[in-house]
Amino acid sequence: PSKGSMLYGALQVQPDAIVPSRPASPGQVDFTRLFRLQGGTGEKITGMIEFDGLLVATKRRLVASIDFVGGNYAVPDIVSTGVCCASPNTLVPKDNVLMFLSDRGLQATTRRGVTNLNSPEYIGDNISTFVQDSVDRRYLSKAYAAVNRKRRQYTCELRTKGEDHQNYRFTCDLTAEGPIYSLYRLPNLPAVAAKLLIDGGAYSSFG
């Protein structure tokens, strides 16, 4: 969406700002195009991702889609001021759904029309209860997630209260009948990611 530029957020000089690099030069930041993500609550950007042609950015209590007019001027459109992305590493797109972890549970949003997003929605009361009652919120920013594309499964690693490492994993399978959730206790697994196999096979999740 930024016309070939790398985008940087949560800047030390302006935590609630986003700035693009010069086109095709990710190491050359163009501070003349810096813009602040105003509205909602929160002092800094908590997540950024490209989703279906839009830049999606979040703060403590804000989700916004951002388009670039003529490749030069950012036009933010606030989608919600009621939810947040707790960790940038949990923003994961799957087909036409963007999923992320908030401090209240798992959220999902989809495209609305050509230029915007639908308001994020909770997609599981049981996961919401687990996150609010059992997870150590001080370490939500260290949560990691990935998608097992073969199984259409969102996988997220979390740290519960009284533990010294990520020790639980929940999964969300996106099925035709609706989302299906599972919760597992883990050994020490601090991160999770997905990788396309060298032989061109399905994506594999690993920690």
Side-chain angles (χ1 to χ4, degrees):
S2 56
K3 313 304 180 184
S5 296
M6 179 72 76
L7 292 157
Y8 300 91
L11 308 173
Q12 185 174 4
V13 295
Q14 189 68 61
D16 65 348
I18 298 171
V19 61
S21 72
R22 298 185 186 280
S25 299
Q28 299 180 16
V29 177
D30 186 358
F31 282 98
T32 64
R33 294 171 62 191
L34 181 148
F35 64 95
R36 297 178 62 190
L37 190 59
Q38 300 182 350
T41 58
E43 299 178 351
K44 66 179 182 179
I45 304 294
T46 60
M48 292 168 51
I49 195 169
E50 182 178 352
F51 174 60
D52 198 19
L54 289 175
L55 171 64
V56 179
T58 67
K59 289 170 57 179
R60 179 64 181 170
R61 281 287 180 273
L62 182 141
V63 177
S65 64
I66 301 167
D67 198 7
F68 290 83
V69 178
N72 292 315
Y73 300 102
V75 181
D77 194 343
I78 295 176
V79 177
S80 173
T81 57
V83 298
C84 72
C85 174
S87 168
N89 298 307
T90 65
L91 273 166
V92 178
K94 177 65 181 82
D95 297 330
N96 63 337
V97 180
L98 178 62
M99 305 171 72
F100 60 91
L101 183 70
S102 76
D103 57 4
R104 299 179 183 176
L106 186 60
Q107 306 271 348
T109 184
T110 56
R111 281 295 294 266
R112 176 168 61 85
V114 178
T115 61
N116 210 343
L117 298 174
N118 287 304
S119 181
E121 296 181 358
Y122 296 114
I123 54 172
D125 291 338
N126 51 349
I127 295 298
S128 178
T129 299
F130 170 70
V131 170
Q132 294 187 64
D133 294 348
S134 302
V135 171
D136 193 332
R137 298 194 182 191
R138 296 174 299 174
Y139 299 99
L140 272 177
S141 63
K142 298 184 182 297
Y144 279 80
V147 167
N148 182 328
R149 294 177 183 272
K150 185 177 181 179
R151 298 184 61 182
R152 301 174 59 84
Q153 183 184 76
Y154 179 94
T155 301
C156 184
E157 317 291 347
L158 293 163
R159 176 171 171 175
T160 57
K161 297 173 183 177
E163 298 291 337
D164 60 0
H165 60 272
Q166 310 276 67
N167 65 314
Y168 264 90
R169 175 179 89 242
F170 76 79
T171 63
C172 174
D173 295 352
L174 301 178
T175 71
E177 293 74 27
I180 299 174
Y181 301 92
S182 299
L183 185 64
Y184 307 91
R185 187 174 177 86
L186 290 172
N188 187 3
L189 186 62
V192 65
K195 181 181 184 298
L196 185 63
L197 299 181
I198 295 175
D199 62 5
Y203 275 79
S204 292
S205 297
F206 62 94

